[in-house]
Amino acid sequence: MAPKKAEEETGAPEGAEAKAEEELFQEEAPEAKPSAKRVALAEEKETDAAPVKGAKLKEACIFHTEDTTLNVLPAASGKHLMALGEGGFQYLLAGARGSVGLTGGRYMFEVMVTEHRNLADTRGGGGQGPTPKNCLRVGFATEDSSLLLDGVENFCFDGFGKGFRQGQVVAVLLNLEAEGPNSNTISLFCDGKRMTDPQPL
């Protein structure tokens, strides 16, 4: 009868205190759920723009000879660019600039990596020179910028470090709109997926 007396004195059955502590613990540590702010940040703000109704460019965007370095070889009507890779040229960077300038709005261009070349320098006499690294640098620049996208008159992304692989499609988005969540920024995409947060210009 002793257990029954204890129950009457406390006014609560045995195990009630443990159950109350369990319920309190559940209230203090609810199941983790993604916050609305975190979900909003994960959503892509660079959505497709409305179709442009104005006049289109009269001339196609091309690469003029004067806007490329001497070691650039155009092919496929100028749509395929490659750099000389023999006779010491493999140690030089090659660059090209498109013929269309931008003053506002939002634009994107894509580049496909069609090959990854072995640029080893095998010299006469069995010797071998240093092996240069492949590099792809993409971005936007002013008319006065270097064709190699160095200096301060440009903004770009390069493939040093992890690098870009053969067959990948690299895209650069320039947002020059006056208003919007990503106005005056530049972004990098690879195979349709965002690779960087919008970078301020």
Side-chain angles (χ1 to χ4, degrees):
M1 298 299 293
K4 184 176 181 181
K5 184 178 179 180
E7 179 180 329
E8 291 176 354
E9 291 178 354
T10 59
E14 293 182 358
E17 184 177 354
K19 184 177 181 181
E21 291 181 355
E22 181 180 354
E23 292 178 352
L24 179 62
F25 177 77
Q26 291 178 353
E27 292 179 359
E28 292 178 349
E31 183 180 355
K33 295 181 180 180
S35 63
K37 182 178 180 181
R38 187 176 300 175
V39 173
L41 290 175
E43 295 178 355
E44 178 58 60
K45 296 181 175 62
E46 293 284 3
T47 57
D48 293 341
V52 178
K53 298 181 180 180
K56 296 182 179 181
L57 292 174
K58 296 181 179 179
E59 298 181 0
C61 180
I62 60 175
F63 297 97
H64 294 296
T65 303
E66 58 269 25
D67 288 329
T68 62
T69 55
L70 296 176
N71 54 340
V72 170
L73 294 177
S77 300
K79 297 181 180 180
H80 185 192
L81 300 179
M82 62 181 299
L84 293 174
E86 299 177 354
F89 281 103
Q90 65 267 40
Y91 297 107
L92 302 178
L93 295 175
R97 179 170 48 226
S99 59
V100 175
L102 308 173
T103 58
R106 189 171 53 151
Y107 299 88
M108 172 187 281
F109 74 89
E110 294 180 333
V111 175
M112 174 179 283
V113 183
T114 58
E115 63 178 350
H116 192 279
R117 305 174 65 190
N118 181 10
L119 300 177
D121 182 11
T122 303
R123 305 185 181 185
Q128 183 173 346
T131 302
K133 297 180 180 180
N134 285 280
C135 172
L136 173 63
R137 184 177 291 172
V138 290
F140 288 87
T142 66
E143 186 178 3
D144 297 328
S145 171
S146 164
L147 295 175
L148 303 180
L149 294 179
D150 54 356
V152 296
E153 295 293 328
N154 61 79
F155 21 88
C156 65
F157 303 94
D158 64 42
F160 283 123
K162 183 178 180 180
F164 301 117
R165 299 188 302 273
Q166 182 175 343
Q168 287 186 322
V169 177
V170 183
V172 181
L173 172 65
L174 177 65
N175 189 332
L176 296 178
E177 294 179 341
E179 299 179 354
N182 296 332
S183 61
N184 293 316
T185 61
I186 184 173
S187 301
L188 177 69
F189 294 79
C190 185
D191 291 336
K193 298 180 180 180
R194 176 178 286 278
M195 302 300 294
T196 66
D197 293 329
Q199 304 296 311
L201 302 179

